Amino acid sequence: MKLPASVIKELTLLYRDLAGLLVLFVMPVVLVVVVTLVQENVSKLMGEDKTAVLFVDMDGQSVGPMIEESLRKSASVKMVTEINGRKADVDTAKMAVAKGDFQMSIIVPYGITEVFRKTAKQRAKNSFSIKDGRTKKAVGVVAEESTHLLVYFDPTLKELYRSGMVNALQKMLLALETEERIKGLSDLLPKEMEMISKKAMGNAWSEEFRNAIPSVRLDWDNRPIINVEEKTAMYGDTAKAPTTVQQNVPAWTLFGMFFVVVPLGASLIRERQDGVMARLLTMPISYITIISGKVIAYTLICMIQFGLILAVGKMLLPLLGTPALDMGSSPESLMLIALASGLAAAGYGILLGTVARTYEQASTLGAVSVVIAAALGGVMVPSYVMPHIMQKIGMFSPLSWGLNAFLTIFVRGGGIKSIFPEIGSMFLFFVLTICISWFYMFQRGRFRAH
């Protein structure tokens, strides 16, 4: 009965701590909702959702429709040619992009088809050369015309997205240009062969001989010989693309869990300063029982936090336009990860409350250390974008262990065996912090001094 009574005492004290409840429950829920919605919007801007592209064809010949057809095949682009039911022109397109109604607009200028075909044929002709003895002479090199496909971007658009779209357009134009050059080459090759043969045969050339020359036609197969096959490395066979909800729910759940160190550490210090701890130890109750009551109570709080944020991911966020939380390949393993994370957070809170001398020390050190551990652990920014030295340091963050275990279940198709290293590390962290707290209390005699 001593242990349940100790647990009830801790829960009662926390229930009366309004600020502590706000930090433990409201803060992580708000962070999950706000950050997920922001990242969901950013992912749309980065092309993970269809981007509306305003397309204006001022030329009206063959190049514009070819570009439009190629873009319509893209799964990430939605082609728009009208604004408010009227066909867009250059001025209205520029204004719509400047106002942020569209992320980009593609303008096909007048005369681009004529220049495109003429230049492609000229380059095909330029590629011929005649070797006469030791000299090599080009068949016909003349100045080429050039033109530009105009692309207007929203000024707020990230450079990464701009360069991606420009590269995709250049790749598409190169394919069209290659196809047009092959057509020009196919037309020029018989004429060049006839001219060379006529020159070589001189007076022996005759119409009968010309008719005997077989016609040549180039049928260009533009299918790539080597394709890039994209795959996702997974524990299982089912590949799933991670969503912003799957990334943010475990990250901010862990962040909220580890913030129990602030009220837990503060409760230990208050009991020590008020003499409550001394009075408790004069009763037939051991220090282990008192600490166990705190660990059980705050681990229970962590599990409630976990359930609350999972409910937000499953039910609230879909109402705000994001995907619902997918529970991953092994939902039962999530409970084990949450339990290990809660114990690690409770152990750190006990250590903090034991080592700190004042409430101010505990609250400041606790909040700052959790924020730093979260940042290094990849909660705020993915670890792979950090410098190498920060990635190495982040490997020692308990939040990194918890986040990696959650992501293994949510998006990597892992099972309970695949998260044993992270789970084991968090249990070991819990045991280590409790042992250090025990050693500090009884070897330094701090408890007796108070």
Side-chain angles (χ1 to χ4, degrees):
M1 294 299 292
K2 295 175 183 175
L3 184 58
S6 180
V7 173
I8 292 172
K9 181 204 72 167
E10 296 299 330
L11 293 176
T12 304
L13 289 174
L14 186 60
Y15 175 73
R16 295 171 181 169
D17 184 3
L18 180 60
L21 291 175
L22 289 174
V23 168
L24 294 180
F25 292 102
V26 177
M27 181 192 70
V29 169
V30 171
L31 285 172
V32 166
V33 172
V34 172
V35 176
T36 301
L37 291 178
V38 170
Q39 289 190 357
E40 186 69 16
N41 191 51
V42 170
S43 69
K44 291 178 180 177
L45 292 176
M46 294 297 292
E48 294 175 21
D49 200 355
K50 279 196 172 185
T51 300
V53 175
L54 191 55
F55 187 79
V56 180
D57 185 3
M58 305 299 293
D59 183 53
Q61 298 187 45
S62 60
V63 169
M66 285 192 293
I67 296 173
E68 185 177 358
E69 184 184 354
S70 298
L71 288 173
R72 286 189 186 280
K73 293 178 182 175
S74 172
S76 61
V77 171
K78 178 184 176 184
M79 298 296 290
V80 178
T81 57
E82 296 181 346
I83 300 175
N84 298 326
R86 299 182 63 180
K87 192 170 183 178
D89 57 23
V90 176
D91 293 333
T92 55
K94 287 170 63 177
M95 186 56 65
V97 175
K99 289 164 60 181
D101 297 338
F102 294 88
Q103 278 75 55
M104 61 179 291
S105 175
I106 298 174
I107 309 293
V108 182
Y110 289 112
I112 192 172
T113 300
E114 184 180 351
V115 174
F116 173 70
R117 287 181 173 169
K118 187 176 178 182
T119 305
K121 285 183 180 178
Q122 186 59 49
R123 289 188 178 181
K125 189 173 183 179
N126 292 347
S127 62
F128 281 102
S129 60
I130 299 174
K131 189 174 182 181
D132 187 6
R134 293 185 178 182
T135 61
K136 187 176 180 181
K137 183 174 66 176
V139 170
V141 178
V142 298
E144 299 173 353
E145 297 181 61
S146 63
T147 185
H148 300 280
L149 183 72
L150 302 177
V151 182
Y152 289 96
F153 285 108
D154 184 342
T156 63
L157 212 56
K158 297 293 183 185
E159 183 60 32
L160 183 63
Y161 180 80
R162 293 187 184 203
S163 59
M165 286 302 299
V166 170
N167 288 336
L169 284 171
Q170 286 180 334
K171 182 181 176 183
M172 181 189 63
L173 292 174
L174 182 61
L176 294 177
E177 185 180 322
T178 302
E179 188 174 348
E180 192 65 26
R181 283 197 201 187
I182 293 300
K183 287 180 183 176
L185 196 61
S186 180
D187 293 338
L188 286 172
L189 187 57
K191 297 176 183 176
E192 295 297 331
M193 288 180 64
E194 180 182 336
M195 184 184 72
I196 294 170
S197 300
K198 193 173 181 179
K199 183 177 180 181
M201 295 179 69
N203 295 331
W205 173 261
S206 65
E207 286 298 316
E208 290 78 10
F209 187 82
R210 186 178 69 82
N211 294 331
I213 297 176
S215 62
V216 178
R217 179 177 177 80
L218 294 176
D219 292 321
W220 184 257
D221 187 349
N222 58 2
R223 291 176 298 173
I225 298 174
I226 300 177
N227 290 300
V228 177
E229 186 176 1
E230 183 180 349
K231 290 190 174 182
T232 304
M234 306 281 291
Y235 284 101
D237 296 330
T238 305
K240 294 179 180 177
T243 65
T244 53
V245 179
Q246 287 175 311
Q247 291 171 341
N248 284 300
V249 164
W252 298 110
T253 299
L254 287 165
F255 189 68
M257 281 183 173
F258 272 81
F259 253 85
V260 299
V261 303
V262 176
L264 176 52
S267 74
L268 265 174
I269 292 172
R270 274 198 300 266
E271 288 180 356
R272 210 169 57 221
Q273 291 178 339
D274 297 343
V276 174
M277 183 66 78
R279 291 197 295 274
L280 285 173
L281 288 177
T282 59
M283 301 171 67
I285 183 171
S286 66
Y287 178 72
I288 287 294
T289 303
I290 296 172
I291 294 301
S292 297
K294 292 182 180 297
V295 169
I296 292 173
Y298 281 90
T299 303
L300 181 61
I301 294 296
C302 290
M303 299 303 287
I304 296 173
Q305 282 181 308
F306 177 66
L308 175 65
I309 299 177
L310 282 189
V312 169
K314 291 288 286 184
M315 292 181 282
L316 177 60
L317 287 174
L319 297 177
L320 300 175
T322 70
L325 176 65
D326 187 333
M327 300 297 282
S329 55
S330 178
E332 62 277 8
S333 300
L334 300 177
M335 296 298 293
L336 185 59
I337 301 171
L339 177 62
S341 303
L343 286 173
Y348 183 50
I350 296 291
L351 176 63
L352 190 69
T354 304
V355 174
R357 293 181 179 276
T358 64
Y359 173 79
E360 287 74 18
Q361 282 184 358
S363 58
T364 303
L365 181 61
V368 171
S369 60
V370 169
V371 170
I372 292 174
L376 293 174
V379 170
M380 300 174 181
V381 179
S383 300
Y384 61 83
V385 301
M386 298 180 187
H388 185 67
I389 183 66
M390 290 183 66
Q391 292 182 28
K392 290 289 185 185
I393 297 172
M395 292 171 63
F396 296 97
S397 167
L399 281 84
S400 172
W401 306 333
L403 183 59
N404 196 37
F406 273 126
L407 292 179
T408 297
I409 301 300
F410 277 139
V411 299
R412 295 181 186 133
I416 192 165
K417 289 184 180 179
S418 56
I419 58 172
F420 274 167
E422 289 83 5
I423 296 294
S425 298
M426 286 190 284
F427 277 120
L428 183 61
F429 179 81
F430 164 69
V431 173
L432 190 62
T433 51
I434 293 297
C435 289
I436 294 174
S437 303
W438 176 280
F439 176 82
Y440 193 88
M441 285 289 290
F442 287 92
Q443 295 299 321
R444 300 285 180 88
R446 291 191 57 200
F447 169 70
R448 294 183 179 85
H450 287 280

